[in-house]
Amino acid sequence: SGIGDGGVLFLCEALKVNQTLTELSLRNNSIRCLGASYLSEALQANKTLVSLDLGGNFVGDEGIHHISSALKENVCLSSLSLRSNHIGNLGAGYLARALELNSGLEV
């Protein structure tokens, strides 16, 4: 259940132009790699979001690769929760490389 990747697509279109939302919880929403790619695009454009909770989804290694790419560019996000997302060693490596460039983020 949850909004899934399709719902995330619509939400991300709004996030790209958002100027007020600072915290967003997408916990337990059946978000997978495709949804993570939409979130990546939104995070690159968004300048206000400081906290994002993606816990309890199915982002996986490839999904975290998308998000990690955005984290290299995004300087606003300071808190990101990725609990229970089926992220393995490969995904952890993507995230570690992104964190080398984004010292303001807590994961």
Side-chain angles (χ1 to χ4, degrees):
S1 71
I3 64 171
D5 293 338
V8 168
L9 174 60
F10 294 111
L11 178 66
C12 286
E13 290 304 312
L15 277 177
K16 289 177 185 177
V17 295
N18 167 62
Q19 296 182 353
T20 55
L21 186 70
T22 58
E23 297 181 15
L24 178 61
S25 176
L26 293 172
R27 261 185 110 58
N28 302 315
N29 268 294
S30 301
I31 299 168
R32 300 181 181 281
C33 181
L34 183 59
S37 71
Y38 300 146
L39 282 167
S40 174
E41 292 175 19
L43 288 173
Q44 290 178 42
N46 183 280
K47 304 295 183 223
T48 59
L49 199 64
V50 295
S51 177
L52 177 60
D53 185 350
L54 291 174
N57 287 290
F58 305 95
V59 170
D61 289 336
E62 288 308 308
I64 201 62
H65 185 246
H66 292 295
I67 291 173
S68 294
S69 294
L71 296 179
K72 294 175 185 176
E73 308 285 326
N74 182 299
V75 294
C76 298
L77 198 66
S78 61
S79 175
L80 176 63
S81 176
L82 295 167
R83 267 185 229 120
S84 301
N85 262 291
H86 308 280
I87 298 168
N89 291 338
L90 183 62
Y94 295 141
L95 192 56
R97 283 188 288 285
L99 290 175
E100 288 174 357
L101 299 172
N102 187 331
S103 60
L105 180 64
E106 292 180 23
V107 179

mmCIF file with all atom_site columns, all heavy atoms in Angstrom, residues 46-76:
data_model
loop_
_atom_site.group_PDB
_atom_site.id
_atom_site.type_symbol
_atom_site.label_atom_id
_atom_site.label_alt_id
_atom_site.label_comp_id
_atom_site.label_asym_id
_atom_site.label_entity_id
_atom_site.label_seq_id
_atom_site.pdbx_PDB_ins_code
_atom_site.Cartn_x
_atom_site.Cartn_y
_atom_site.Cartn_z
_atom_site.occupancy
_atom_site.B_iso_or_equiv
_atom_site.pdbx_formal_charge
_atom_site.auth_seq_id
_atom_site.auth_comp_id
_atom_site.auth_asym_id
_atom_site.auth_atom_id
_atom_site.pdbx_PDB_model_num
ATOM 1   N N   . ASN A 1 46 ? 14.902 21.275 -5.568  1.00 0.00 ? 46 ASN A N   1
ATOM 2   C CA  . ASN A 1 46 ? 14.309 21.839 -4.350  1.00 0.00 ? 46 ASN A CA  1
ATOM 3   C C   . ASN A 1 46 ? 15.347 22.565 -3.507  1.00 0.00 ? 46 ASN A C   1
ATOM 4   O O   . ASN A 1 46 ? 16.449 22.073 -3.305  1.00 0.00 ? 46 ASN A O   1
ATOM 5   C CB  . ASN A 1 46 ? 13.659 20.720 -3.543  1.00 0.00 ? 46 ASN A CB  1
ATOM 6   C CG  . ASN A 1 46 ? 12.971 21.236 -2.314  1.00 0.00 ? 46 ASN A CG  1
ATOM 7   O OD1 . ASN A 1 46 ? 13.609 21.496 -1.307  1.00 0.00 ? 46 ASN A OD1 1
ATOM 8   N ND2 . ASN A 1 46 ? 11.671 21.384 -2.394  1.00 0.00 ? 46 ASN A ND2 1
ATOM 9   N N   . LYS A 1 47 ? 14.959 23.728 -2.975  1.00 0.00 ? 47 LYS A N   1
ATOM 10  C CA  . LYS A 1 47 ? 15.876 24.543 -2.168  1.00 0.00 ? 47 LYS A CA  1
ATOM 11  C C   . LYS A 1 47 ? 15.379 24.765 -0.739  1.00 0.00 ? 47 LYS A C   1
ATOM 12  O O   . LYS A 1 47 ? 15.962 25.553 -0.012  1.00 0.00 ? 47 LYS A O   1
ATOM 13  C CB  . LYS A 1 47 ? 16.081 25.917 -2.832  1.00 0.00 ? 47 LYS A CB  1
ATOM 14  C CG  . LYS A 1 47 ? 16.578 25.850 -4.249  1.00 0.00 ? 47 LYS A CG  1
ATOM 15  C CD  . LYS A 1 47 ? 17.962 25.259 -4.343  1.00 0.00 ? 47 LYS A CD  1
ATOM 16  C CE  . LYS A 1 47 ? 18.447 25.270 -5.769  1.00 0.00 ? 47 LYS A CE  1
ATOM 17  N NZ  . LYS A 1 47 ? 19.099 24.064 -6.198  1.00 0.00 ? 47 LYS A NZ  1
ATOM 18  N N   . THR A 1 48 ? 14.306 24.071 -0.321  1.00 0.00 ? 48 THR A N   1
ATOM 19  C CA  . THR A 1 48 ? 13.755 24.317 1.011   1.00 0.00 ? 48 THR A CA  1
ATOM 20  C C   . THR A 1 48 ? 13.694 23.086 1.909   1.00 0.00 ? 48 THR A C   1
ATOM 21  O O   . THR A 1 48 ? 13.685 23.225 3.121   1.00 0.00 ? 48 THR A O   1
ATOM 22  C CB  . THR A 1 48 ? 12.330 24.900 0.922   1.00 0.00 ? 48 THR A CB  1
ATOM 23  O OG1 . THR A 1 48 ? 11.499 23.971 0.216   1.00 0.00 ? 48 THR A OG1 1
ATOM 24  C CG2 . THR A 1 48 ? 12.333 26.231 0.220   1.00 0.00 ? 48 THR A CG2 1
ATOM 25  N N   . LEU A 1 49 ? 13.640 21.899 1.346   1.00 0.00 ? 49 LEU A N   1
ATOM 26  C CA  . LEU A 1 49 ? 13.473 20.684 2.135   1.00 0.00 ? 49 LEU A CA  1
ATOM 27  C C   . LEU A 1 49 ? 14.731 20.392 2.958   1.00 0.00 ? 49 LEU A C   1
ATOM 28  O O   . LEU A 1 49 ? 15.825 20.303 2.402   1.00 0.00 ? 49 LEU A O   1
ATOM 29  C CB  . LEU A 1 49 ? 13.172 19.501 1.206   1.00 0.00 ? 49 LEU A CB  1
ATOM 30  C CG  . LEU A 1 49 ? 12.546 18.266 1.835   1.00 0.00 ? 49 LEU A CG  1
ATOM 31  C CD1 . LEU A 1 49 ? 11.159 18.590 2.379   1.00 0.00 ? 49 LEU A CD1 1
ATOM 32  C CD2 . LEU A 1 49 ? 12.459 17.150 0.813   1.00 0.00 ? 49 LEU A CD2 1
ATOM 33  N N   . VAL A 1 50 ? 14.569 20.289 4.277   1.00 0.00 ? 50 VAL A N   1
ATOM 34  C CA  . VAL A 1 50 ? 15.713 20.006 5.142   1.00 0.00 ? 50 VAL A CA  1
ATOM 35  C C   . VAL A 1 50 ? 15.648 18.610 5.761   1.00 0.00 ? 50 VAL A C   1
ATOM 36  O O   . VAL A 1 50 ? 16.663 18.089 6.219   1.00 0.00 ? 50 VAL A O   1
ATOM 37  C CB  . VAL A 1 50 ? 15.886 21.062 6.264   1.00 0.00 ? 50 VAL A CB  1
ATOM 38  C CG1 . VAL A 1 50 ? 16.216 22.412 5.680   1.00 0.00 ? 50 VAL A CG1 1
ATOM 39  C CG2 . VAL A 1 50 ? 14.671 21.121 7.153   1.00 0.00 ? 50 VAL A CG2 1
ATOM 40  N N   . SER A 1 51 ? 14.467 17.977 5.748   1.00 0.00 ? 51 SER A N   1
ATOM 41  C CA  . SER A 1 51 ? 14.327 16.654 6.357   1.00 0.00 ? 51 SER A CA  1
ATOM 42  C C   . SER A 1 51 ? 13.453 15.764 5.475   1.00 0.00 ? 51 SER A C   1
ATOM 43  O O   . SER A 1 51 ? 12.340 16.146 5.103   1.00 0.00 ? 51 SER A O   1
ATOM 44  C CB  . SER A 1 51 ? 13.696 16.787 7.750   1.00 0.00 ? 51 SER A CB  1
ATOM 45  O OG  . SER A 1 51 ? 13.485 15.514 8.316   1.00 0.00 ? 51 SER A OG  1
ATOM 46  N N   . LEU A 1 52 ? 13.975 14.572 5.159   1.00 0.00 ? 52 LEU A N   1
ATOM 47  C CA  . LEU A 1 52 ? 13.250 13.615 4.334   1.00 0.00 ? 52 LEU A CA  1
ATOM 48  C C   . LEU A 1 52 ? 13.346 12.234 4.967   1.00 0.00 ? 52 LEU A C   1
ATOM 49  O O   . LEU A 1 52 ? 14.441 11.745 5.227   1.00 0.00 ? 52 LEU A O   1
ATOM 50  C CB  . LEU A 1 52 ? 13.825 13.584 2.912   1.00 0.00 ? 52 LEU A CB  1
ATOM 51  C CG  . LEU A 1 52 ? 13.220 12.582 1.932   1.00 0.00 ? 52 LEU A CG  1
ATOM 52  C CD1 . LEU A 1 52 ? 11.728 12.839 1.732   1.00 0.00 ? 52 LEU A CD1 1
ATOM 53  C CD2 . LEU A 1 52 ? 13.965 12.644 0.599   1.00 0.00 ? 52 LEU A CD2 1
ATOM 54  N N   . ASP A 1 53 ? 12.201 11.621 5.229   1.00 0.00 ? 53 ASP A N   1
ATOM 55  C CA  . ASP A 1 53 ? 12.142 10.281 5.810   1.00 0.00 ? 53 ASP A CA  1
ATOM 56  C C   . ASP A 1 53 ? 11.628 9.309  4.761   1.00 0.00 ? 53 ASP A C   1
ATOM 57  O O   . ASP A 1 53 ? 10.473 9.385  4.343   1.00 0.00 ? 53 ASP A O   1
ATOM 58  C CB  . ASP A 1 53 ? 11.218 10.285 7.032   1.00 0.00 ? 53 ASP A CB  1
ATOM 59  C CG  . ASP A 1 53 ? 11.202 8.957  7.777   1.00 0.00 ? 53 ASP A CG  1
ATOM 60  O OD1 . ASP A 1 53 ? 11.755 7.959  7.254   1.00 0.00 ? 53 ASP A OD1 1
ATOM 61  O OD2 . ASP A 1 53 ? 10.626 8.916  8.873   1.00 0.00 ? 53 ASP A OD2 1
ATOM 62  N N   . LEU A 1 54 ? 12.499 8.411  4.324   1.00 0.00 ? 54 LEU A N   1
ATOM 63  C CA  . LEU A 1 54 ? 12.147 7.381  3.337   1.00 0.00 ? 54 LEU A CA  1
ATOM 64  C C   . LEU A 1 54 ? 12.140 5.989  3.960   1.00 0.00 ? 54 LEU A C   1
ATOM 65  O O   . LEU A 1 54 ? 12.186 4.992  3.243   1.00 0.00 ? 54 LEU A O   1
ATOM 66  C CB  . LEU A 1 54 ? 13.136 7.416  2.169   1.00 0.00 ? 54 LEU A CB  1
ATOM 67  C CG  . LEU A 1 54 ? 13.059 8.632  1.257   1.00 0.00 ? 54 LEU A CG  1
ATOM 68  C CD1 . LEU A 1 54 ? 14.177 8.605  0.237   1.00 0.00 ? 54 LEU A CD1 1
ATOM 69  C CD2 . LEU A 1 54 ? 11.708 8.691  0.573   1.00 0.00 ? 54 LEU A CD2 1
ATOM 70  N N   . GLY A 1 55 ? 12.096 5.922  5.269   1.00 0.00 ? 55 GLY A N   1
ATOM 71  C CA  . GLY A 1 55 ? 12.149 4.633  5.956   1.00 0.00 ? 55 GLY A CA  1
ATOM 72  C C   . GLY A 1 55 ? 11.028 3.689  5.531   1.00 0.00 ? 55 GLY A C   1
ATOM 73  O O   . GLY A 1 55 ? 9.928  4.109  5.191   1.00 0.00 ? 55 GLY A O   1
ATOM 74  N N   . GLY A 1 56 ? 11.335 2.398  5.538   1.00 0.00 ? 56 GLY A N   1
ATOM 75  C CA  . GLY A 1 56 ? 10.329 1.375  5.275   1.00 0.00 ? 56 GLY A CA  1
ATOM 76  C C   . GLY A 1 56 ? 9.864  1.272  3.839   1.00 0.00 ? 56 GLY A C   1
ATOM 77  O O   . GLY A 1 56 ? 8.753  0.833  3.569   1.00 0.00 ? 56 GLY A O   1
ATOM 78  N N   . ASN A 1 57 ? 10.703 1.650  2.898   1.00 0.00 ? 57 ASN A N   1
ATOM 79  C CA  . ASN A 1 57 ? 10.371 1.520  1.479   1.00 0.00 ? 57 ASN A CA  1
ATOM 80  C C   . ASN A 1 57 ? 11.242 0.429  0.851   1.00 0.00 ? 57 ASN A C   1
ATOM 81  O O   . ASN A 1 57 ? 11.821 -0.386 1.557   1.00 0.00 ? 57 ASN A O   1
ATOM 82  C CB  . ASN A 1 57 ? 10.531 2.871  0.784   1.00 0.00 ? 57 ASN A CB  1
ATOM 83  C CG  . ASN A 1 57 ? 9.421  3.831  1.162   1.00 0.00 ? 57 ASN A CG  1
ATOM 84  O OD1 . ASN A 1 57 ? 8.282  3.643  0.775   1.00 0.00 ? 57 ASN A OD1 1
ATOM 85  N ND2 . ASN A 1 57 ? 9.751  4.845  1.934   1.00 0.00 ? 57 ASN A ND2 1
ATOM 86  N N   . PHE A 1 58 ? 11.324 0.396  -0.458  1.00 0.00 ? 58 PHE A N   1
ATOM 87  C CA  . PHE A 1 58 ? 12.084 -0.633 -1.171  1.00 0.00 ? 58 PHE A CA  1
ATOM 88  C C   . PHE A 1 58 ? 13.036 0.010  -2.174  1.00 0.00 ? 58 PHE A C   1
ATOM 89  O O   . PHE A 1 58 ? 13.149 -0.415 -3.315  1.00 0.00 ? 58 PHE A O   1
ATOM 90  C CB  . PHE A 1 58 ? 11.125 -1.582 -1.897  1.00 0.00 ? 58 PHE A CB  1
ATOM 91  C CG  . PHE A 1 58 ? 10.095 -2.189 -1.002  1.00 0.00 ? 58 PHE A CG  1
ATOM 92  C CD1 . PHE A 1 58 ? 8.838  -1.627 -0.876  1.00 0.00 ? 58 PHE A CD1 1
ATOM 93  C CD2 . PHE A 1 58 ? 10.407 -3.309 -0.252  1.00 0.00 ? 58 PHE A CD2 1
ATOM 94  C CE1 . PHE A 1 58 ? 7.887  -2.175 -0.036  1.00 0.00 ? 58 PHE A CE1 1
ATOM 95  C CE2 . PHE A 1 58 ? 9.467  -3.870 0.598   1.00 0.00 ? 58 PHE A CE2 1
ATOM 96  C CZ  . PHE A 1 58 ? 8.205  -3.302 0.713   1.00 0.00 ? 58 PHE A CZ  1
ATOM 97  N N   . VAL A 1 59 ? 13.726 1.057  -1.732  1.00 0.00 ? 59 VAL A N   1
ATOM 98  C CA  . VAL A 1 59 ? 14.589 1.837  -2.616  1.00 0.00 ? 59 VAL A CA  1
ATOM 99  C C   . VAL A 1 59 ? 15.711 0.983  -3.206  1.00 0.00 ? 59 VAL A C   1
ATOM 100 O O   . VAL A 1 59 ? 15.998 1.063  -4.388  1.00 0.00 ? 59 VAL A O   1
ATOM 101 C CB  . VAL A 1 59 ? 15.138 3.066  -1.851  1.00 0.00 ? 59 VAL A CB  1
ATOM 102 C CG1 . VAL A 1 59 ? 16.215 3.755  -2.641  1.00 0.00 ? 59 VAL A CG1 1
ATOM 103 C CG2 . VAL A 1 59 ? 14.014 4.030  -1.539  1.00 0.00 ? 59 VAL A CG2 1
ATOM 104 N N   . GLY A 1 60 ? 16.373 0.164  -2.402  1.00 0.00 ? 60 GLY A N   1
ATOM 105 C CA  . GLY A 1 60 ? 17.425 -0.714 -2.882  1.00 0.00 ? 60 GLY A CA  1
ATOM 106 C C   . GLY A 1 60 ? 18.684 0.025  -3.315  1.00 0.00 ? 60 GLY A C   1
ATOM 107 O O   . GLY A 1 60 ? 18.774 1.250  -3.233  1.00 0.00 ? 60 GLY A O   1
ATOM 108 N N   . ASP A 1 61 ? 19.650 -0.737 -3.793  1.00 0.00 ? 61 ASP A N   1
ATOM 109 C CA  . ASP A 1 61 ? 20.946 -0.175 -4.183  1.00 0.00 ? 61 ASP A CA  1
ATOM 110 C C   . ASP A 1 61 ? 20.842 0.796  -5.358  1.00 0.00 ? 61 ASP A C   1
ATOM 111 O O   . ASP A 1 61 ? 21.451 1.863  -5.343  1.00 0.00 ? 61 ASP A O   1
ATOM 112 C CB  . ASP A 1 61 ? 21.930 -1.289 -4.542  1.00 0.00 ? 61 ASP A CB  1
ATOM 113 C CG  . ASP A 1 61 ? 22.392 -2.083 -3.333  1.00 0.00 ? 61 ASP A CG  1
ATOM 114 O OD1 . ASP A 1 61 ? 22.338 -1.539 -2.205  1.00 0.00 ? 61 ASP A OD1 1
ATOM 115 O OD2 . ASP A 1 61 ? 22.804 -3.235 -3.503  1.00 0.00 ? 61 ASP A OD2 1
ATOM 116 N N   . GLU A 1 62 ? 20.081 0.431  -6.374  1.00 0.00 ? 62 GLU A N   1
ATOM 117 C CA  . GLU A 1 62 ? 19.984 1.311  -7.544  1.00 0.00 ? 62 GLU A CA  1
ATOM 118 C C   . GLU A 1 62 ? 19.198 2.575  -7.214  1.00 0.00 ? 62 GLU A C   1
ATOM 119 O O   . GLU A 1 62 ? 19.514 3.657  -7.707  1.00 0.00 ? 62 GLU A O   1
ATOM 120 C CB  . GLU A 1 62 ? 19.381 0.577  -8.740  1.00 0.00 ? 62 GLU A CB  1
ATOM 121 C CG  . GLU A 1 62 ? 20.323 -0.442 -9.340  1.00 0.00 ? 62 GLU A CG  1
ATOM 122 C CD  . GLU A 1 62 ? 21.703 0.147  -9.662  1.00 0.00 ? 62 GLU A CD  1
ATOM 123 O OE1 . GLU A 1 62 ? 21.773 1.190  -10.352 1.00 0.00 ? 62 GLU A OE1 1
ATOM 124 O OE2 . GLU A 1 62 ? 22.711 -0.423 -9.230  1.00 0.00 ? 62 GLU A OE2 1
ATOM 125 N N   . GLY A 1 63 ? 18.194 2.454  -6.373  1.00 0.00 ? 63 GLY A N   1
ATOM 126 C CA  . GLY A 1 63 ? 17.441 3.631  -5.958  1.00 0.00 ? 63 GLY A CA  1
ATOM 127 C C   . GLY A 1 63 ? 18.312 4.589  -5.162  1.00 0.00 ? 63 GLY A C   1
ATOM 128 O O   . GLY A 1 63 ? 18.243 5.811  -5.347  1.00 0.00 ? 63 GLY A O   1
ATOM 129 N N   . ILE A 1 64 ? 19.136 4.042  -4.287  1.00 0.00 ? 64 ILE A N   1
ATOM 130 C CA  . ILE A 1 64 ? 20.010 4.908  -3.495  1.00 0.00 ? 64 ILE A CA  1
ATOM 131 C C   . ILE A 1 64 ? 21.088 5.535  -4.378  1.00 0.00 ? 64 ILE A C   1
ATOM 132 O O   . ILE A 1 64 ? 21.586 6.617  -4.084  1.00 0.00 ? 64 ILE A O   1
ATOM 133 C CB  . ILE A 1 64 ? 20.602 4.168  -2.271  1.00 0.00 ? 64 ILE A CB  1
ATOM 134 C CG1 . ILE A 1 64 ? 21.054 5.179  -1.194  1.00 0.00 ? 64 ILE A CG1 1
ATOM 135 C CG2 . ILE A 1 64 ? 21.752 3.302  -2.644  1.00 0.00 ? 64 ILE A CG2 1
ATOM 136 C CD1 . ILE A 1 64 ? 19.988 6.011  -0.643  1.00 0.00 ? 64 ILE A CD1 1
ATOM 137 N N   . HIS A 1 65 ? 21.411 4.881  -5.469  1.00 0.00 ? 65 HIS A N   1
ATOM 138 C CA  . HIS A 1 65 ? 22.340 5.476  -6.436  1.00 0.00 ? 65 HIS A CA  1
ATOM 139 C C   . HIS A 1 65 ? 21.750 6.772  -6.990  1.00 0.00 ? 65 HIS A C   1
ATOM 140 O O   . HIS A 1 65 ? 22.438 7.790  -7.089  1.00 0.00 ? 65 HIS A O   1
ATOM 141 C CB  . HIS A 1 65 ? 22.636 4.487  -7.563  1.00 0.00 ? 65 HIS A CB  1
ATOM 142 C CG  . HIS A 1 65 ? 23.670 4.974  -8.514  1.00 0.00 ? 65 HIS A CG  1
ATOM 143 N ND1 . HIS A 1 65 ? 23.384 5.267  -9.815  1.00 0.00 ? 65 HIS A ND1 1
ATOM 144 C CD2 . HIS A 1 65 ? 24.990 5.226  -8.342  1.00 0.00 ? 65 HIS A CD2 1
ATOM 145 C CE1 . HIS A 1 65 ? 24.484 5.690  -10.422 1.00 0.00 ? 65 HIS A CE1 1
ATOM 146 N NE2 . HIS A 1 65 ? 25.469 5.676  -9.550  1.00 0.00 ? 65 HIS A NE2 1
ATOM 147 N N   . HIS A 1 66 ? 20.455 6.746  -7.333  1.00 0.00 ? 66 HIS A N   1
ATOM 148 C CA  . HIS A 1 66 ? 19.785 7.959  -7.821  1.00 0.00 ? 66 HIS A CA  1
ATOM 149 C C   . HIS A 1 66 ? 19.797 9.047  -6.753  1.00 0.00 ? 66 HIS A C   1
ATOM 150 O O   . HIS A 1 66 ? 20.152 10.198 -7.024  1.00 0.00 ? 66 HIS A O   1
ATOM 151 C CB  . HIS A 1 66 ? 18.335 7.662  -8.211  1.00 0.00 ? 66 HIS A CB  1
ATOM 152 C CG  . HIS A 1 66 ? 18.187 6.792  -9.402  1.00 0.00 ? 66 HIS A CG  1
ATOM 153 N ND1 . HIS A 1 66 ? 18.597 7.165  -10.659 1.00 0.00 ? 66 HIS A ND1 1
ATOM 154 C CD2 . HIS A 1 66 ? 17.655 5.549  -9.527  1.00 0.00 ? 66 HIS A CD2 1
ATOM 155 C CE1 . HIS A 1 66 ? 18.332 6.185  -11.518 1.00 0.00 ? 66 HIS A CE1 1
ATOM 156 N NE2 . HIS A 1 66 ? 17.760 5.204  -10.858 1.00 0.00 ? 66 HIS A NE2 1
ATOM 157 N N   . ILE A 1 67 ? 19.392 8.689  -5.553  1.00 0.00 ? 67 ILE A N   1
ATOM 158 C CA  . ILE A 1 67 ? 19.312 9.673  -4.466  1.00 0.00 ? 67 ILE A CA  1
ATOM 159 C C   . ILE A 1 67 ? 20.698 10.221 -4.128  1.00 0.00 ? 67 ILE A C   1
ATOM 160 O O   . ILE A 1 67 ? 20.860 11.417 -3.888  1.00 0.00 ? 67 ILE A O   1
ATOM 161 C CB  . ILE A 1 67 ? 18.613 9.059  -3.238  1.00 0.00 ? 67 ILE A CB  1
ATOM 162 C CG1 . ILE A 1 67 ? 17.137 8.845  -3.579  1.00 0.00 ? 67 ILE A CG1 1
ATOM 163 C CG2 . ILE A 1 67 ? 18.783 9.934  -2.002  1.00 0.00 ? 67 ILE A CG2 1
ATOM 164 C CD1 . ILE A 1 67 ? 16.345 8.105  -2.551  1.00 0.00 ? 67 ILE A CD1 1
ATOM 165 N N   . SER A 1 68 ? 21.703 9.355  -4.141  1.00 0.00 ? 68 SER A N   1
ATOM 166 C CA  . SER A 1 68 ? 23.070 9.799  -3.844  1.00 0.00 ? 68 SER A CA  1
ATOM 167 C C   . SER A 1 68 ? 23.556 10.827 -4.852  1.00 0.00 ? 68 SER A C   1
ATOM 168 O O   . SER A 1 68 ? 24.270 11.767 -4.489  1.00 0.00 ? 68 SER A O   1
ATOM 169 C CB  . SER A 1 68 ? 24.022 8.601  -3.825  1.00 0.00 ? 68 SER A CB  1
ATOM 170 O OG  . SER A 1 68 ? 23.715 7.752  -2.752  1.00 0.00 ? 68 SER A OG  1
ATOM 171 N N   . SER A 1 69 ? 23.160 10.674 -6.096  1.00 0.00 ? 69 SER A N   1
ATOM 172 C CA  . SER A 1 69 ? 23.532 11.662 -7.119  1.00 0.00 ? 69 SER A CA  1
ATOM 173 C C   . SER A 1 69 ? 22.970 13.028 -6.763  1.00 0.00 ? 69 SER A C   1
ATOM 174 O O   . SER A 1 69 ? 23.654 14.043 -6.906  1.00 0.00 ? 69 SER A O   1
ATOM 175 C CB  . SER A 1 69 ? 23.014 11.228 -8.492  1.00 0.00 ? 69 SER A CB  1
ATOM 176 O OG  . SER A 1 69 ? 23.662 10.051 -8.900  1.00 0.00 ? 69 SER A OG  1
ATOM 177 N N   . ALA A 1 70 ? 21.739 13.061 -6.287  1.00 0.00 ? 70 ALA A N   1
ATOM 178 C CA  . ALA A 1 70 ? 21.116 14.327 -5.900  1.00 0.00 ? 70 ALA A CA  1
ATOM 179 C C   . ALA A 1 70 ? 21.791 14.920 -4.672  1.00 0.00 ? 70 ALA A C   1
ATOM 180 O O   . ALA A 1 70 ? 21.933 16.135 -4.555  1.00 0.00 ? 70 ALA A O   1
ATOM 181 C CB  . ALA A 1 70 ? 19.633 14.128 -5.633  1.00 0.00 ? 70 ALA A CB  1
ATOM 182 N N   . LEU A 1 71 ? 22.224 14.061 -3.758  1.00 0.00 ? 71 LEU A N   1
ATOM 183 C CA  . LEU A 1 71 ? 22.842 14.542 -2.519  1.00 0.00 ? 71 LEU A CA  1
ATOM 184 C C   . LEU A 1 71 ? 24.169 15.245 -2.775  1.00 0.00 ? 71 LEU A C   1
ATOM 185 O O   . LEU A 1 71 ? 24.589 16.069 -1.976  1.00 0.00 ? 71 LEU A O   1
ATOM 186 C CB  . LEU A 1 71 ? 23.045 13.382 -1.541  1.00 0.00 ? 71 LEU A CB  1
ATOM 187 C CG  . LEU A 1 71 ? 21.775 12.708 -1.043  1.00 0.00 ? 71 LEU A CG  1
ATOM 188 C CD1 . LEU A 1 71 ? 22.123 11.558 -0.109  1.00 0.00 ? 71 LEU A CD1 1
ATOM 189 C CD2 . LEU A 1 71 ? 20.855 13.704 -0.368  1.00 0.00 ? 71 LEU A CD2 1
ATOM 190 N N   . LYS A 1 72 ? 24.794 14.938 -3.872  1.00 0.00 ? 72 LYS A N   1
ATOM 191 C CA  . LYS A 1 72 ? 26.043 15.614 -4.229  1.00 0.00 ? 72 LYS A CA  1
ATOM 192 C C   . LYS A 1 72 ? 25.781 17.073 -4.594  1.00 0.00 ? 72 LYS A C   1
ATOM 193 O O   . LYS A 1 72 ? 26.662 17.915 -4.470  1.00 0.00 ? 72 LYS A O   1
ATOM 194 C CB  . LYS A 1 72 ? 26.716 14.898 -5.401  1.00 0.00 ? 72 LYS A CB  1
ATOM 195 C CG  . LYS A 1 72 ? 27.200 13.511 -5.067  1.00 0.00 ? 72 LYS A CG  1
ATOM 196 C CD  . LYS A 1 72 ? 27.736 12.803 -6.295  1.00 0.00 ? 72 LYS A CD  1
ATOM 197 C CE  . LYS A 1 72 ? 28.120 11.375 -5.996  1.00 0.00 ? 72 LYS A CE  1
ATOM 198 N NZ  . LYS A 1 72 ? 28.543 10.654 -7.206  1.00 0.00 ? 72 LYS A NZ  1
ATOM 199 N N   . GLU A 1 73 ? 24.552 17.373 -5.035  1.00 0.00 ? 73 GLU A N   1
ATOM 200 C CA  . GLU A 1 73 ? 24.177 18.717 -5.478  1.00 0.00 ? 73 GLU A CA  1
ATOM 201 C C   . GLU A 1 73 ? 23.384 19.478 -4.419  1.00 0.00 ? 73 GLU A C   1
ATOM 202 O O   . GLU A 1 73 ? 23.511 20.690 -4.299  1.00 0.00 ? 73 GLU A O   1
ATOM 203 C CB  . GLU A 1 73 ? 23.307 18.620 -6.738  1.00 0.00 ? 73 GLU A CB  1
ATOM 204 C CG  . GLU A 1 73 ? 23.876 17.782 -7.847  1.00 0.00 ? 73 GLU A CG  1
ATOM 205 C CD  . GLU A 1 73 ? 24.992 18.472 -8.578  1.00 0.00 ? 73 GLU A CD  1
ATOM 206 O OE1 . GLU A 1 73 ? 24.932 19.708 -8.710  1.00 0.00 ? 73 GLU A OE1 1
ATOM 207 O OE2 . GLU A 1 73 ? 25.927 17.788 -9.004  1.00 0.00 ? 73 GLU A OE2 1
ATOM 208 N N   . ASN A 1 74 ? 22.528 18.771 -3.689  1.00 0.00 ? 74 ASN A N   1
ATOM 209 C CA  . ASN A 1 74 ? 21.613 19.410 -2.744  1.00 0.00 ? 74 ASN A CA  1
ATOM 210 C C   . ASN A 1 74 ? 22.350 19.834 -1.474  1.00 0.00 ? 74 ASN A C   1
ATOM 211 O O   . ASN A 1 74 ? 22.963 19.015 -0.806  1.00 0.00 ? 74 ASN A O   1
ATOM 212 C CB  . ASN A 1 74 ? 20.475 18.433 -2.404  1.00 0.00 ? 74 ASN A CB  1
ATOM 213 C CG  . ASN A 1 74 ? 19.456 19.032 -1.480  1.00 0.00 ? 74 ASN A CG  1
ATOM 214 O OD1 . ASN A 1 74 ? 19.768 19.416 -0.363  1.00 0.00 ? 74 ASN A OD1 1
ATOM 215 N ND2 . ASN A 1 74 ? 18.226 19.093 -1.936  1.00 0.00 ? 74 ASN A ND2 1
ATOM 216 N N   . VAL A 1 75 ? 22.272 21.110 -1.134  1.00 0.00 ? 75 VAL A N   1
ATOM 217 C CA  . VAL A 1 75 ? 22.940 21.611 0.072   1.00 0.00 ? 75 VAL A CA  1
ATOM 218 C C   . VAL A 1 75 ? 21.957 21.961 1.180   1.00 0.00 ? 75 VAL A C   1
ATOM 219 O O   . VAL A 1 75 ? 22.363 22.349 2.268   1.00 0.00 ? 75 VAL A O   1
ATOM 220 C CB  . VAL A 1 75 ? 23.824 22.846 -0.249  1.00 0.00 ? 75 VAL A CB  1
ATOM 221 C CG1 . VAL A 1 75 ? 24.976 22.462 -1.151  1.00 0.00 ? 75 VAL A CG1 1
ATOM 222 C CG2 . VAL A 1 75 ? 23.003 23.966 -0.861  1.00 0.00 ? 75 VAL A CG2 1
ATOM 223 N N   . CYS A 1 76 ? 20.664 21.827 0.928   1.00 0.00 ? 76 CYS A N   1
ATOM 224 C CA  . CYS A 1 76 ? 19.646 22.178 1.921   1.00 0.00 ? 76 CYS A CA  1
ATOM 225 C C   . CYS A 1 76 ? 19.309 21.015 2.848   1.00 0.00 ? 76 CYS A C   1
ATOM 226 O O   . CYS A 1 76 ? 19.096 21.216 4.040   1.00 0.00 ? 76 CYS A O   1
ATOM 227 C CB  . CYS A 1 76 ? 18.369 22.636 1.230   1.00 0.00 ? 76 CYS A CB  1
ATOM 228 S SG  . CYS A 1 76 ? 18.607 24.106 0.246   1.00 0.00 ? 76 CYS A SG  1
#
